Amino acid sequence: MSGTADTRSLKVFVIAGEASGDRLGAAAMAGLKTLAGAVEFRGVGGPMMGAEGLDSQFPMKELSLMGLMEVLPKYLHLKRRIREVAEAILAWRPDVVLTIDSPDFCLRVADRVKAASDIRVCHYVAPSVWAWRPKRAEKMAARVDQVLALLPFEPPYFEAHGLRCDFVGHPVVSEQTASASDVHAFREDHGIGEAPVVLVLPGSREGEIARLSPVFGAALDQFSASHPDARFALPVAFGVMDSVREQVAQWQVDPVLIPAENTRERRAAFKAADIALAASGTVSLELAANDTPMVIAYRMNLITQYIVSRKLQIDTVTLVNLVSETRDVPEFLGSRCTPEKIAPALVRLLETPAAQAGALDLTMARLGRGGEAPGVRAARAILDGLND
């Protein structure tokens, strides 16, 4: 494979299991079309990948599970999907399989593909071996041919085991942010005026929304006692609007719910927000890109939380803290994820929002802001890998 597709379409099988992976996949697909010309895609993905030409083998939502207690009831179904996806790959014989995050699913597919073929496998989003389960890096060397890393400190963890790992930057650095006029329109449309806006982000999966929403709602209620003029906005992930509505109906505060399809209003909410309360995850980087200071809170199923806490090798899970090498973003995890701890942190943050400014700027710089779009960098690394 020459890295271009002069005589026939490049065949790429892509797998994403959740909203953040769908975004990454769409950017990489667009980059591949730009660099390689004719590209044919098959696989599993969401609406953003669908817009780039993917007809998903089955709904991506089936894979959007996190935590042992969420996965166990669906184990047999997921095992069947693993087999079906691997069989589809082997039957089609693509030039490369691009698996995106969701390692518990994607790497099991890779196992089956590698056991029966020499098809190249590239895994996008390096598993966080620096956080827990460091032996995964060694195991991956037998499963995949290349890793694409979002974070600049990740490649050495994989290269130590002879596995090619390319830092391609995080797509958040090139995503469009709202203009001043969009922010003004958002505030006018919702009658916010000059009131402080708190962005609320309780996750993208139904399980985490169910766990975090009662805590977030109670924390915001306590916060409102000292800031009764505050307004709240809650951008909703694809496929979970009904779950969010059900949870928010029990809150004392009344947030503006923003459908995932309304990308312009979602961007405006991120930029208009004075502070944010968010679940742990990549959304912290999206907040950083919008210069929105944040409080991070997260709670897993108790069994999962116990297992993870015993294996965790870092003192923070917030990506802004890790990339900037600061601890400026407060986080409340596990037993500390309570309204009584979160609400005062929100009050302090609203009073001193500039305290996080340096960490947010440094994070974006280290993730590649101002350089080539990460989707194009990912595509370039994939094509270069075909020459290995």
Side-chain angles (χ1 to χ4, degrees):
M1 177 59 61
S2 64
T4 61
D6 297 328
T7 59
R8 65 175 180 85
S9 295
L10 181 72
K11 295 166 62 176
V12 182
F13 197 101
V14 196
I15 309 169
E18 54 186 298
S20 58
D22 186 39
R23 185 181 297 113
L24 290 168
M29 290 168 68
L32 285 167
K33 289 189 290 185
T34 297
L35 297 179
V39 188
E40 185 178 357
F41 297 106
R42 293 187 188 180
V44 180
M48 297 181 75
M49 290 166 64
E52 293 295 336
L54 180 71
D55 183 11
S56 186
Q57 189 171 332
F58 53 82
M60 184 187 71
K61 185 178 178 181
E62 293 185 21
L63 306 183
S64 299
L65 303 170
M66 183 176 182
L68 295 176
M69 301 311 292
E70 287 188 43
V71 171
L72 284 176
K74 303 288 183 67
Y75 174 74
L76 293 178
H77 177 72
L78 289 172
K79 191 173 181 179
R80 182 168 65 253
R81 288 304 197 193
I82 290 168
R83 183 181 66 251
E84 292 172 355
V85 171
E87 289 173 352
I89 293 169
L90 294 169
W92 192 40
R93 300 284 309 179
D95 296 295
V96 62
V97 176
L98 177 62
T99 58
I100 306 171
D101 211 356
S102 302
D104 289 333
F105 183 88
C106 287
L107 297 183
R108 284 174 171 80
V109 172
D111 279 340
R112 286 176 172 265
V113 170
K114 283 299 187 184
S117 75
D118 61 353
I119 296 172
R120 185 173 181 81
V121 176
C122 178
H123 188 71
Y124 197 176
V125 183
S128 50
V129 297
W130 37 268
W132 72 308
R133 292 169 60 190
K135 292 184 179 179
R136 285 180 296 174
E138 183 178 1
K139 291 180 179 178
M140 280 188 70
R143 293 168 152 178
V144 305
D145 302 287
Q146 183 180 9
V147 176
L148 305 182
L150 305 186
L151 306 176
F153 56 78
E154 293 179 313
Y157 289 93
F158 299 89
E159 293 167 348
H161 300 286
L163 178 57
R164 173 171 175 169
C165 185
D166 299 83
F167 168 59
V168 298
H170 198 290
V172 72
V173 300
S174 59
E175 290 177 357
Q176 182 180 353
T177 58
S179 65
S181 61
D182 287 337
V183 170
H184 178 76
F186 176 81
R187 285 180 169 270
E188 289 294 310
D189 291 347
H190 296 289
I192 295 172
E194 298 301 315
V197 175
V198 181
L199 198 66
V200 189
L201 299 152
S204 60
R205 307 177 186 89
E206 290 184 350
E208 63 188 0
I209 290 167
R211 282 193 302 274
L212 294 176
S213 289
V215 178
F216 279 27
L220 297 174
D221 185 34
Q222 292 182 25
F223 168 83
S224 296
S226 58
H227 291 282
D229 60 332
R231 300 291 299 274
F232 305 91
L234 198 164
V236 182
F238 283 103
V240 295
M241 178 62 85
D242 290 343
S243 298
V244 171
R245 280 203 181 101
E246 181 181 347
Q247 293 291 335
V248 168
Q250 303 172 52
W251 292 6
Q252 296 301 308
V253 301
D254 185 23
V256 174
L257 300 185
I258 304 169
E261 297 81 6
N262 194 338
T263 55
R264 182 171 182 174
E265 183 148 284
R266 186 181 189 278
R267 285 196 297 265
F270 268 78
K271 199 68 174 178
D274 294 277
I275 62 173
L277 171 59
S280 175
T282 56
V283 72
S284 69
L285 300 181
E286 192 172 358
L287 291 166
N290 284 275
D291 302 311
T292 304
M294 70 201 81
V295 170
I296 299 297
Y298 202 77
R299 176 184 290 175
M300 297 180 177
N301 173 278
L302 288 176
I303 296 175
T304 305
Q305 181 68 43
Y306 174 76
I307 294 171
V308 171
S309 65
R310 289 179 62 86
K311 294 185 176 183
L312 203 62
Q313 300 185 99
I314 50 177
D315 65 345
T316 178
V317 299
T318 300
L319 290 173
V320 169
N321 288 341
L322 289 165
V323 175
S324 66
E325 297 180 281
T326 71
R327 297 298 181 264
D328 290 349
V329 176
E331 61 182 22
F332 301 92
L333 311 177
S335 62
R336 299 184 69 244
C337 181
T338 65
E340 293 74 21
K341 293 186 181 296
I342 295 168
L346 289 170
V347 172
R348 288 193 297 271
L349 184 59
L350 188 60
E351 294 171 351
T352 57
Q356 294 182 18
L360 303 186
D361 288 343
L362 182 57
T363 296
M364 288 299 102
R366 288 182 172 178
L367 291 180
R369 176 186 273 170
E372 187 175 45
V376 176
R377 291 176 64 176
R380 194 180 306 283
I382 293 166
L383 295 173
D384 185 64
L386 291 171
N387 295 318
D388 281 357

